């Protein structure tokens, strides 16, 4: 059934009169193939070269002449890795196909950690900035439980130093806090202050030197500064082997992409580093980055992001982190040193225990490919999202990744596409190189045979004239002699035209016509159930070539004998053969779907008398039982008591000999498990036979007496019903007295006489006269 469905599905997709080339064929789907063999279905239409590979193979196209969609997955195992494996994969795809592979991510026991503090130094953050002065040493001591080596860095931000974000009055540019007689630093988009260092004293000293700044609007430029801290790896000093944490501290929301248009800045951010003397110089020239752009840069640089915000802004950042993989949000009532330390430790443990992968396709081809990711977590569960939580050190998470191709580029040419599989926060990733095949190669010669249907032109009288097709009977000429079969006067068997000395066969609604002289087709085969070859094969040269599991002239016979398997496990109950999926019994007496019934066998016991008589003649002993093998073709056993063998499978029989009562024996037969069995009683059954005859005689006598009594009772009831009238009087009419009925003679006879006058009254007058009768034997008076 699977092959039948596959064939029907393939025919509906692959075969179409509009297919004229290999490229058209393969674009129908990954299941289609194109046969570029030169003599394949000679004379047939080009669309016949496109079909399922199994159908093309049955029609005579060899595998080496098939162009089909092939999916290849090659893994480069030469690149070593400790966390992500494999590191490099090559895939070959065609439109409609897909390939799957496994990427494993292992979490190590302990990692070095790089933590970069990115702090909002606007005026409202003065008290929060003071809390950082004691964080460095305390955090270093706390992180020794989870990390082998902790390095810290520091940077600050406010907002873009342009109007309307800051006051551009000359006195406010250098000191935004001049109105409050406080010396503040100028506003800036991002200022990198301290590169990664393990010297906690240096970190504390730098924090103590920091001063606040000021701006005019509420949102800050936090996202702009985050991107610079992520991409400026050399300046920041991110270590390749370390887990990278970027901590953003602020008490306000951040500007988003397109907000800079208020300042007349319309150039999109290019995602590059623009630090000069540790100051972000592109702040006044480029817009804020989009969330998608920031997410990509954080992934590319293997950075976890932690947001430490006040509770008033918690909701705003809660919606933000869903768009940034590998992010953690902490809500702080107050920016105190213990709270910050707890936040960093909790975030690190939480981010490290969650393994997430991000799969990105090149922008130029993202619309032509699709990706599916299924993670297999260490506990054996399959997560719905692209992540596993609760992962412990030295555990491995496996990701089953499937990449499929929708279509080819607009120009139809082959292309190379790179797909990146990045576990969030890991410094290792997997590169997937896709080779998209959109064109056909058609073997070493590159001949796809998809242009041989073009009509030829001949030069006649110096002018190019297209040869006209001639159907059926044609005049003999040099052009159509080669289109006639030997001994035939019909051109192309009457089913095609002769072009350039070669038959081009017509197309029939029944199927394909082909052959050198159009003498062959794929529909002149036996039908089964109204379907060609029973829809379980293809017609080749007038014969059905059946699918696997089917045979017969019309592919109507299953090869499997499962349909002939009886309940006892034997084929046709051991009494027949399986022919075309049905049981054919060896003995005509047997019948049924599995030759399980034998009414004639169960209605007579005489067929076993010869076997029983043989065993009786040898004394019913096991030593002599072998002497009867020539007359008994079944298993024979002896039993003293036959009452124990009962059930529907046993037939009770009696062997009766004419010479003596002593030679009457009971026996039983059974055909259970497909093999006949015979059990013979070792005791004669003479006494039992005499008792059975007596019982039969007595039963017949009792039945006869009972029937007589019933007849007498019924007769008497009918007689009395006739004698007695409804009023309880006895009617004399029709009563005849006999000598045997004297006791039943009535003693009174009642007569009714009606008198009428000449002039009758209103109604007749009736008189009743009773005439007594004399008792029998009295003298007459």
């Amino acid at each position: 059934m699977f092959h039948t469905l596959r064939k029907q599905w393939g025919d509906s997709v692959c075969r179409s009169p509009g297919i004229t080339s290999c490229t058209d064929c393969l674009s129908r789907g990954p299941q289609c193939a194109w046969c570029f063999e030169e003599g394949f279905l000679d004379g047939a239409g080009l669309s016949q070269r496109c079909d399922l590979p199994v159908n093309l193979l049955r029609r005579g196209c060899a595998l080496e002449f098939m162009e089909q969609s092939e999916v290849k997955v090659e893994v480069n195992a030469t690149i070593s890795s400790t966390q992500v494996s494999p590191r490099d994969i090559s895939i070959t795809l065609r439109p409609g196909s897909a390939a799957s592979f496994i990427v494993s991510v292992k979490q190590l026991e302990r990692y070095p950690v790089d933590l970069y503090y990115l702090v909002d130094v606007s005026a409202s953050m003065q008290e929060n900035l003071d809390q950082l002065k004691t964080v460095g040493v305390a955090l270093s001591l706390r992180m020794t439980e989870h990390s082998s080596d902790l390095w810290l860095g520091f940077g600050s931000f406010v907002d873009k130093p342009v109007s309307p974000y800051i006051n551009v009055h000359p006195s406010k540019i250098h000191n935004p806090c001049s109105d409050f007689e406080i010396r503040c630093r100028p506003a800036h988009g991002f200022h990198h202050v301290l590169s990664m260092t393990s010297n906690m004293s240096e970190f504390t000293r730098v924090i103590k030197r920091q001063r606040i700044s000021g701006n005019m609007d509420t949102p800050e430029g936090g996202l702009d500064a985050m991107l610079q801290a992520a991409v400026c790896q050399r300046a920041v000093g991110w270590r390749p082997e370390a887990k990278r944490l970027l901590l953003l501290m602020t008490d306000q929301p951040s500007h988003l992409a397109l907000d800079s248009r208020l300042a007349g800045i319309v150039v999109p951010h290019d995602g590059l580093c623009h630090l000069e003397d540790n100051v972000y110089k592109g702040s006044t020239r480029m817009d804020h980055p989009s969330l998608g752009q920031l997410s990509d840069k954080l992934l590319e640089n293997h950075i976890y992001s932690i947001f430490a915000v006040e509770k008033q802004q918690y909701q705003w950042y809660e919606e933000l982190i869903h768009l940034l993989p590998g992010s953690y949000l902490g809500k702080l009532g107050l920016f105190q040193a213990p709270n910050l330390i707890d936040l960093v430790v909790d975030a690190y443990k939480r981010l490290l225990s969650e393994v997430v992968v991000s799969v990105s396709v090149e922008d130029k081809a993202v619309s032509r490919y699709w990706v599916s990711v299924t993670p297999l977590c260490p506990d054996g569960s399959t997560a719905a999202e692209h992540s596993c939580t609760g992962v412990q050190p030295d555990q491995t998470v496996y990701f089953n990744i499937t990449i499929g191709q929708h279509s080819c580029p607009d120009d139809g040419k082959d292309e190379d596409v790179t797909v990146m599989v990045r576990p969030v926060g890991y410094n290792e990733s997997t590169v997937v190189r896709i080779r998209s095949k959109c064109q056909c190669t058609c073997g070493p010669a590159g001949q796809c045979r998809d242009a041989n249907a073009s009509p030829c032109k001949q030069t006649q009288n110096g002018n190019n004239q297209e040869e006209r097709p001639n159907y059926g009977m044609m005049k003999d000429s040099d052009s159509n002699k080669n289109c006639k079969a030997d001994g035939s006067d019909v051109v192309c068997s009457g089913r095609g035209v002769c072009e350039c000395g070669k038959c081009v066969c017509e197309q029939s609604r029944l199927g394909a016509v082909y052959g050198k002289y159009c003498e062959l087709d794929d529909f002149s085969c036996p039908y089964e159930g109204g379907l060609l070859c029973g829809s379980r094969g293809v017609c080749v040269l007038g014969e059905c070539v059946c699918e696997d599991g089917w045979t017969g002239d019309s592919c109507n016979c299953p090869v499997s004998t499962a349909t002939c398997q009886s309940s006892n496990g034997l084929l046709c109950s051991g009494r027949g053969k399986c022919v075309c999926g049905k049981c054919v019994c060896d003995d005509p007496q047997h019948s049924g779907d599995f030759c399980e019934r034998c009414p004639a066998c169960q209605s007579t016991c005489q067929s076993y008398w010869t076997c029983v008589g043989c065993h009786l003649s040898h004394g019913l002993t096991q030593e002599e039982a072998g002497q009867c093998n020539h007359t008994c073709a079944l298993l024979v056993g002896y039993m003293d008591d036959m009452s124990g063998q009962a059930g529907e499978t046993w037939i009770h029989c009696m062997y009766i000999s004419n010479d003596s009562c002593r030679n009457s024996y009971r026996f039983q037969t059974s055909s259970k498990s497909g093999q006949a069995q015979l059990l013979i009683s070792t005791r004669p059954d003479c006494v039992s036979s005499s008792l059975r005859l007596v019982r039969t005689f007595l039963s017949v006598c009792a039945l006869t007496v009972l029937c007589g009594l019933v007849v007498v009772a019924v007769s008497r009831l009918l007689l009395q019903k006739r004698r007695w009238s409804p009023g309880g009087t006895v009617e004399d009419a029709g009563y005849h007295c006999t000598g045997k009925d004297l006791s039943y003679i009535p003693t009174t006879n009642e007569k009714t006489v009606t008198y009428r006058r000449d002039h009758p009254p209103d109604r007749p007058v009736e008189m009743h006269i009773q005439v007594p009768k004399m008792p029998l034997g009295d003298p007459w008076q």
Side-chain angles (χ1 to χ4, degrees):
M1 183 60 69
F2 169 75
H3 294 287
T4 301
L5 293 176
R6 185 179 65 175
K7 176 181 181 301
Q8 294 175 348
W9 174 63
D11 286 345
S12 64
V13 175
C14 299
R15 303 185 66 176
S16 173
I19 297 177
T20 58
S21 66
C22 175
T23 303
D24 294 341
C25 176
L26 298 187
S27 64
R28 306 284 293 186
Q31 69 279 8
C32 300
W34 176 267
C35 181
F36 56 88
E37 187 175 0
E38 183 176 1
F40 177 71
L41 299 183
D42 196 11
L46 290 176
S47 61
Q48 300 300 321
R49 291 181 174 269
C50 183
D51 206 337
L52 291 175
V54 63
N55 290 343
L56 294 177
L57 189 63
R58 293 189 183 117
R59 293 182 176 184
C61 182
L63 285 175
E64 58 266 24
F65 294 104
M66 289 188 196
E67 181 83 8
Q68 53 185 314
S69 299
E70 55 180 354
V71 177
K72 292 183 180 180
V73 178
E74 299 176 349
V75 177
N76 185 0
T78 60
I79 303 177
S80 61
S81 61
T82 58
Q83 302 174 87
V84 181
S85 179
R87 298 292 303 278
D88 187 87
I89 300 176
S90 297
I91 295 178
T92 301
L93 294 177
R94 280 192 182 274
S97 62
S100 299
F101 53 89
I102 301 293
V103 173
S104 63
V105 181
K106 181 179 181 180
Q107 188 179 133
L108 302 182
E109 182 70 27
R110 296 170 71 87
Y111 291 92
V113 177
D114 288 349
L115 175 60
Y116 191 82
Y117 281 92
L118 186 58
V119 181
D120 176 9
V121 293
S122 59
S124 59
M125 289 287 291
Q126 176 65 60
E127 295 182 1
N128 302 329
L129 188 61
D130 294 338
Q131 295 295 325
L132 287 178
K133 297 176 183 180
T134 60
V135 166
V137 176
L139 180 60
S140 177
L141 295 174
R142 181 78 175 275
M143 285 295 291
T144 56
E145 302 175 7
H146 309 283
S147 173
S148 58
D149 188 14
L150 176 64
W151 286 23
L152 300 179
F154 181 82
S156 63
F157 70 93
V158 181
D159 208 341
K160 289 184 178 297
V162 293
S163 178
Y165 307 124
I166 67 170
N167 192 333
V168 294
H169 190 275
S171 62
K172 301 290 184 180
I173 293 179
H174 297 286
N175 183 13
C177 306
S178 59
D179 291 344
F180 304 97
E181 297 182 356
I182 301 175
R183 184 64 181 174
C184 295
R185 60 190 299 187
H188 51 279
F190 170 64
H191 182 200
H192 170 59
V193 180
L194 178 65
S195 298
M196 291 295 173
T197 179
S198 59
N199 190 340
M200 297 300 134
S201 300
E202 178 67 14
F203 177 80
T204 303
R205 185 180 61 82
V206 169
I207 296 298
K208 291 180 178 180
R209 294 205 313 261
Q210 297 304 308
R211 292 181 298 163
I212 62 172
S213 181
N215 62 329
M216 296 187 65
D217 64 337
T218 298
E220 316 292 2
L223 302 185
D224 206 359
M226 286 182 66
L227 190 142
Q228 291 301 301
V231 299
C232 299
Q233 295 195 47
R234 181 175 299 179
V236 174
W238 296 109
R239 291 179 293 174
E241 72 280 6
K243 287 291 184 182
R244 304 172 179 181
L245 306 179
L246 178 57
L247 175 63
L248 179 72
M249 293 179 57
T250 183
D251 60 350
Q252 299 296 338
S254 297
H255 282 292
L256 301 176
L258 303 181
D259 283 357
S260 298
R261 293 190 176 187
L262 294 174
I265 301 175
V266 296
V267 178
H269 203 291
D270 58 7
L272 302 177
C273 178
H274 295 278
L275 285 184
E276 296 181 11
D277 298 330
N278 291 331
V279 178
Y280 176 35
K281 296 297 184 180
S283 179
T284 59
R285 294 184 287 106
M286 291 183 294
D287 193 6
H288 294 278
S290 66
L291 292 177
Q293 190 178 31
L294 177 61
S295 176
D296 290 342
K297 296 305 176 180
L298 293 174
L299 288 172
E300 289 178 9
N301 295 279
H302 324 298
I303 296 176
Y304 292 113
S305 55
I306 304 174
F307 294 89
V309 300
E310 290 186 350
K311 59 182 179 181
Q312 292 84 354
Q313 306 300 331
Y314 186 83
Q315 184 176 359
W316 192 93
Y317 283 95
E318 187 178 25
E319 298 177 358
L320 177 69
I321 63 170
H322 295 299
L323 304 175
L324 298 176
S327 299
Y328 181 85
L329 175 61
K331 178 171 63 175
L332 298 177
L334 296 174
F335 282 97
Q336 297 180 351
N339 296 341
L340 287 174
I341 295 174
D342 292 340
L343 172 63
V344 172
V345 173
D346 292 344
Y348 178 74
K349 293 167 59 178
R350 171 73 178 276
L351 293 172
L352 209 62
S353 65
E354 182 178 13
V355 179
V356 187
V357 295
S358 174
V359 182
S360 58
V361 184
E362 286 188 64
D363 292 341
K364 67 175 184 179
V366 67
S367 62
R368 295 191 290 273
Y369 295 86
W370 57 269
V371 178
S372 173
V373 179
T374 302
L376 179 61
C377 302
D379 59 359
S381 63
T382 301
E385 301 296 334
H386 298 176
S387 63
C388 289
T389 58
V391 181
Q392 301 298 320
D394 291 331
Q395 289 185 340
T396 303
V397 179
Y398 297 94
F399 293 90
N400 184 6
I401 301 176
T402 302
I403 301 178
Q405 182 177 357
H406 289 300
S407 59
C408 288
D410 295 337
D411 57 6
K413 296 182 179 180
D414 299 348
E415 67 173 349
D416 294 326
V417 177
T418 300
V419 177
M420 296 299 301
V421 180
R422 297 187 180 94
V424 178
Y426 287 75
N427 56 2
E428 296 178 2
S429 59
T430 300
V431 180
V432 182
R433 310 178 195 278
I434 300 178
R435 176 64 176 172
S436 173
K437 295 187 65 176
C438 296
Q439 296 180 336
C440 296
T441 57
C442 296
Q447 297 293 330
C448 292
R449 315 293 177 188
D450 54 3
N452 56 3
S454 301
C456 67
K457 296 182 179 181
Q458 295 181 346
T459 302
Q460 300 179 359
N461 300 327
N463 297 323
N464 291 335
Q465 297 179 355
E466 183 175 348
E467 184 183 33
R468 297 181 179 179
N470 298 312
Y471 292 85
M473 297 295 296
M474 299 181 66
K475 295 181 179 180
D476 292 335
S477 63
D478 294 337
S479 62
N480 57 29
K481 283 183 179 180
N482 295 331
C483 296
K484 297 180 181 179
D486 294 340
S488 175
D489 294 332
V490 181
V491 175
C492 300
S493 303
R495 301 198 292 182
V497 297
C498 186
E499 295 184 359
C500 305
K502 184 177 180 181
C503 285
V504 178
C505 304
E506 298 175 353
Q507 297 299 315
S508 172
R509 62 182 181 85
L510 298 177
V513 180
Y514 60 96
K516 183 177 181 180
Y517 305 107
C518 301
E519 75 279 13
L520 304 175
D521 58 60
D522 62 357
F523 51 83
S524 297
C525 284
Y527 282 72
E528 178 70 22
L531 300 175
L532 183 66
C533 298
S535 190
R536 304 184 188 97
V538 295
C539 184
V540 178
L541 301 178
E543 295 182 357
C544 289
V545 179
C546 303
E547 295 177 350
D548 296 339
W550 295 92
T551 185
D553 294 338
S554 58
C555 301
N556 60 328
C557 296
V559 176
S560 173
T561 59
T563 55
C564 298
Q565 202 84 11
S566 56
S567 59
N568 56 20
L570 296 176
L571 197 66
C572 299
S573 301
R575 304 189 187 100
K577 301 179 181 62
C578 188
V579 179
C580 198
K582 296 182 179 180
C583 285
V584 177
C585 304
D586 296 333
D587 191 342
Q589 292 184 353
H590 293 89
S591 62
D593 295 337
F594 305 103
C595 300
E596 76 280 6
R597 293 193 297 270
C598 185
C601 301
Q602 297 182 4
S603 62
T604 179
C605 295
Q606 283 82 357
S607 60
Y608 299 104
W609 278 23
T610 303
C611 180
V612 174
C614 179
H615 281 271
L616 290 174
S617 64
H618 289 85
L620 297 177
T621 60
Q622 296 292 341
E623 293 78 7
E624 300 292 334
Q627 301 295 329
C628 298
N629 290 339
H630 63 284
T631 59
C632 300
L634 64 168
L635 297 177
V636 180
Y638 306 140
M639 291 190 67
D640 293 336
D641 185 10
M642 302 295 292
S643 60
Q645 298 294 327
E648 297 180 357
T649 60
W650 290 95
I651 304 172
H652 299 268
C653 301
M654 175 68 70
Y655 176 82
I656 302 175
S657 177
N658 296 328
D659 57 351
S660 173
C661 172
R662 291 176 297 174
N663 288 337
S664 298
Y665 288 84
R666 284 196 297 170
F667 65 93
Q668 296 178 345
T669 64
S670 173
S671 58
K672 187 177 181 181
S673 301
Q675 189 172 13
Q677 301 180 33
L678 181 66
L679 292 179
I680 305 175
S681 175
T682 57
R683 297 179 180 179
D685 203 61
C686 181
V687 178
S688 300
S689 300
S690 301
L691 292 175
R692 188 159 46 250
L693 292 175
V694 172
R695 290 172 183 172
T696 302
F697 175 76
L698 294 177
S699 298
V700 172
C701 293
L703 183 61
T704 304
V705 173
L706 181 62
C707 291
L709 294 175
V710 171
V711 170
V712 171
V714 171
S715 300
R716 183 163 183 172
L717 289 174
L718 292 175
L719 184 62
Q720 291 204 9
K721 182 178 180 181
R722 185 176 180 182
R723 287 174 46 218
W724 294 95
S725 64
T729 60
V730 180
E731 298 180 358
D732 188 45
Y735 186 86
H736 302 279
C737 180
T738 63
K740 296 181 180 180
D741 298 327
L742 296 178
S743 61
Y744 296 99
I745 297 177
T747 58
T748 304
N749 189 12
E750 180 178 350
K751 297 292 184 179
T752 300
V753 181
T754 302
Y755 293 92
R756 299 182 182 274
R757 299 178 181 179
D758 294 338
H759 302 282
D762 295 337
R763 58 180 180 178
V765 176
E766 295 181 355
M767 293 185 299
H768 299 276
I769 303 174
Q770 292 185 352
V771 180
K773 292 186 177 181
M774 295 177 61
L776 187 62
D778 290 350
W780 175 264
Q781 296 178 359

